[in-house]
Amino acid sequence: MSHAVQEVLALTQRWIRRLSREKFSMLFTLVQPMLFWLIFFGNLFQRAANTQLFQTENYMSFLAAGVVVMTVLNNGLAGGVDLLFDKENGFLERLMSTPIHRASIIVSRYLFVMLITCLQILVILTVAFFFGVTPETGLAGVAVILVIGMLFGVGLTAISMAMAFSVKSHGDFFSVLGFLSLPMIFLSSALVPLTAMPAWMRAVAYFNPMTWVIEAIRPLILSGWAAAIPQVLTALAILLVFDAICLYGGARAFRRAIG
Amino acid sequence: MSSSIAIEVVDLEKTYGTVTAIQDLSFTVLPGEIFGLLGPNGAGKSTTLRILITILPPTRGQARVWGYDVVKEADAVRQVIGYVPQERAIDRFLTGREHLLLLADLYHLPKREALNRINELLKLVDLEAHADRLAKTYSGGMKRKLDIACGLLPNPRIVFLDEPTLGLDVQSRLRIWDYIRELRRRGLTIVMTTNYLEEADQLCDRLAIIDGGRIRVMGSPKELKTALGGDTLCLRADPSQTEPLDRLHAALKTLPFIRDSRRQGYELLIRVDAPDKALPAILEAAHRVNCHIESIDYHRPRLDDVFLAYTGHRFQEPTQ
Ligand SMILES: Nc1ncnc2c1ncn2[C@@H]1O[C@H](COP(=O)(O)OP(=O)(O)OP(=O)(O)O)[C@@H](O)[C@H]1O
Ligand SMILES: [Mg+2]
């Protein structure tokens, strides 16, 4: 057991080191969602936003939930990238020739992705706070947001890692990534409320787990506990199923690739 | 366990889809020796090594490393081996020392022991001065040295080196040969692959020549060369001399002292028993069939002659 801890900590530390040395990439990862989506998009559409439709005066407070979940989405789907590079340059082979638990690599990757995602969510909510967005449910609500975000991230990271282990080239990986992430965003309630969507789009959005995650986080920011609790419970139930499927698929891909 | 055999491989086979990478591979490695797998690109050397270090399951056959089965007792195997992969498996964003610290944790070394061993290894491979620089600033030779240090960190009984000197300049290559000999002195068993005839000849105690996924012949370099017997004459003719060369090739069949001859491009490779007697006879035959010879080269058997004799084609070394 203590061996597993030693392995996981060492591997996680490596991921953190890599990120911290890629200064540009780190800056981009941390700043991009806030700068682009929250501030730019938020201010741009503030004027176009119909107060009635968005249930709030401030489009940014509507958008905050979407940006939080988009960040979880991007981090999760990119969670396998470093493993892909390790696979391609032979580092993974070196790791696999050591007497570690096979799962330690995976676990370290989860830890790292979760850590980064939590940090980003906190930064986003802080920036939003300075633009006048105060979560109605307070700090406890923020904690619930983090938990829901993490649960969504687990499944996404599993998808990403499964892909990293299965694809033939990293070109394939990034194509699939691009193919997945944009529709996930636009066919969810990240940018517009479900009620404002055409019927067909709304129907599709209902099958997108991302919608349910957003629909749980949004009332935590906009409305308060009474409105949020049923939504949060629904999201938790859906995420349980989502994660189970993703983890199962991920474990299979991993076993096929590494044995 | 007490080991009179370090590695035992029986009827090993690996197929990737329809491609057969290796087949009918059987060999043993003795403790304390440098065992080489010599073969051209795609011969199946890395595939063999990957199976032995437990990261690739064989399609058929068995392999035991230090007495442990590479499939059923993979974890035990991993405890006794070190591995130096063929690709420079280096993380550009870590320093040399950080590579070793990471591996120390993966091998579960206690902190103090890890630090001592890391310093010792950095000294062995002359990387002390560069240990705290990011690996992306390393030269090819330095990366290779770091690779080797990584392979030695667990203090293994057997270390696997996949083409340890591929692409290095002569100077670095000689350094690496020194390290490898030093390891043998310390009692390690070494299994290495190589693409270089000279490396196999100079460094390996025993070697298996592998081509097309099969072992063609096995033995110490000296044994292999002696067993071949005879010396090698290489006649080179002008490209315009295709037909005369054919005639000469045919004429050789009737001469004494000649073991065999092969036509290879504009060359005839002739193995002879007694060069002092064979040479005049060959020259005379050339004169008779009107074949113009550009150069004649004569040497004692070399590993490339061994390779040619057992595989039927010449060894292609990678060009640098
Ligand atoms: N993952 C793979 N999928 C399909 N074929 C493979 C795979 N790995 C190796 N092969 C094939 O197996 C054969 C042996 O490859 P291997 O890498 O073992 O050769 P090698 O002797 O190490 O060559 P080199 O000197 O170029 O490193 C080659 O024909 C190669 O194309
Ligand atoms: Mg190879």
Side-chain angles (χ1 to χ4, degrees), chain B residues 122-246:
Chain B
L122 287 170
K123 196 174 294 169
L124 174 76
V125 298
D126 285 319
L127 274 182
E128 284 165 304
H130 312 288
D132 297 306
R133 262 166 51 187
L134 289 191
K136 67 176 168 187
T137 68
Y138 283 15
S139 71
M142 287 158 73
K143 284 184 188 156
R144 208 57 190 148
K145 290 176 181 179
L146 175 58
D147 262 335
I148 291 179
C150 288
L152 295 176
L153 185 82
N155 206 5
R157 315 233 179 205
I158 306 179
V159 58
F160 293 87
L161 302 151
D162 201 351
E163 310 212 11
T165 66
L166 184 68
L168 295 186
D169 57 72
V170 178
Q171 206 92 44
S172 313
R173 177 169 307 163
L174 294 179
R175 286 312 286 271
I176 305 256
W177 288 4
D178 281 344
Y179 301 147
I180 295 177
R181 292 201 182 97
E182 168 65 23
L183 298 180
R184 177 178 50 190
R185 243 191 318 276
R186 295 179 182 194
L188 260 81
T189 305
I190 295 148
V191 179
M192 58 179 283
T193 73
T194 180
N195 236 314
Y196 296 113
L197 292 159
E198 198 200 345
E199 183 163 282
D201 204 356
Q202 299 265 320
L203 201 55
C204 297
D205 297 314
R206 286 193 313 128
L207 56 97
I209 290 184
I210 173 168
D211 185 48
R214 291 170 185 274
I215 290 182
R216 304 297 164 156
V217 65
M218 214 165 8
S220 75
K222 193 153 173 241
E223 274 165 21
L224 292 175
K225 288 183 290 191
T226 325
L228 204 58
D231 294 354
T232 303
L233 276 173
C234 173
L235 302 193
R236 174 178 271 279
D238 189 84
S240 66
Q241 298 281 300
T242 322
E243 269 181 40
L245 202 59
D246 281 336

Side-chain angles (χ1 to χ4, degrees), chain A residues 6-7 14 21 93-94, chain B residues 50 55 91 98 108 147:
Chain A
Q6 190 179 10
E7 295 159 8
R14 168 172 174 240
R21 302 226 166 116
E93 221 169 62
R94 186 196 286 292
Chain B
R50 287 197 178 100
I55 59 177
D91 186 333
E98 284 164 356
H108 317 122
D147 262 335

Side-chain angles (χ1 to χ4, degrees), chain B residues 16-17 19-22 39-48 50 86 162-163 166 193 195 210:
Chain B
Y16 295 105
V19 182
T20 302
I22 55 169
N41 288 136
K45 306 179 296 292
S46 298
T47 302
T48 310
R50 287 197 178 100
Q86 177 175 346
D162 201 351
E163 310 212 11
L166 184 68
T193 73
N195 236 314
I210 173 168

Side-chain angles (χ1 to χ4, degrees), chain B residues 84-100:
Chain B
V84 179
Q86 177 175 346
E87 301 91 12
R88 309 281 187 276
I90 299 280
D91 186 333
R92 297 158 34 79
F93 295 105
L94 297 186
T95 68
R97 194 187 304 277
E98 284 164 356
H99 277 86
L100 295 165

Side-chain angles (χ1 to χ4, degrees), chain A residues 143-178:
Chain A
V144 176
I145 293 177
L146 288 179
V147 170
I148 296 176
M150 294 305 97
L151 282 175
F152 188 38
V154 165
L156 293 165
T157 309
I159 294 178
S160 179
M161 288 198 266
M163 261 166 45
F165 286 119
S166 324
V167 290
K168 291 271 178 284
S169 75
H170 70 249
D172 291 357
F173 182 88
F174 289 107
S175 319
V176 178
L177 211 70

